[in-house]
Amino acid sequence: LPNSIRWHFIGRLQSNKVKKLLELPNLVSIETVDSANLAKRIANVAADARTEPLDLSIQVDTSNEETKGGVQPQDAMDLAESIVNLGSVRLAGLMTIGAAGDLSAFDRLKDLRRKMAKHLQVPEESLQLSMGMSGDFKEAIKRGAR
């Protein structure tokens, strides 16, 4: 594959797999960070393996589905604070999948971004929104997904 590809990892990531993942050339983002421990592990490995900060997005469970990963919305702020205080990584934004057909999950994530940006004293647009799947991506884009 061409070296110009910029990889975004989306999926459940176990701490013991972080080092292997960070060996991937052109990895620019991990979009499914769901704990401070995982963020710390990524930051520690990135400090040794990278020269540029790695973007991290917090996965938020906006639908309360047992099958979905992510932190609960009320816990996302603490995780964000943990990430911004780490070196070698950068808080890039928030990610959610949401329940099929529940477009309000996107609105909840957008509202959380607004609150988080105010709390962290950063521009709202500096926190990206990654949300939706192939069946609802148009609605996700209308609500601010990149």
Side-chain angles (χ1 to χ4, degrees), residues 18-24 27 42-52 54 88:
V18 168
K19 186 174 181 181
K20 184 79 171 160
L21 177 63
L22 268 63
E23 292 173 0
L24 181 65
L27 177 70
I42 294 166
N44 289 339
V45 172
D48 293 334
R50 304 176 57 90
T51 57
E52 297 290 322
L54 181 65
S88 66

Side-chain angles (χ1 to χ4, degrees), residues 60-81:
V60 182
D61 179 2
T62 55
S63 61
N64 287 320
E65 287 183 284
E66 288 184 25
T67 58
K68 298 288 193 297
V71 299
Q72 293 300 308
Q74 66 271 18
D75 298 325
M77 204 71 71
D78 289 339
L79 180 51
E81 288 176 357

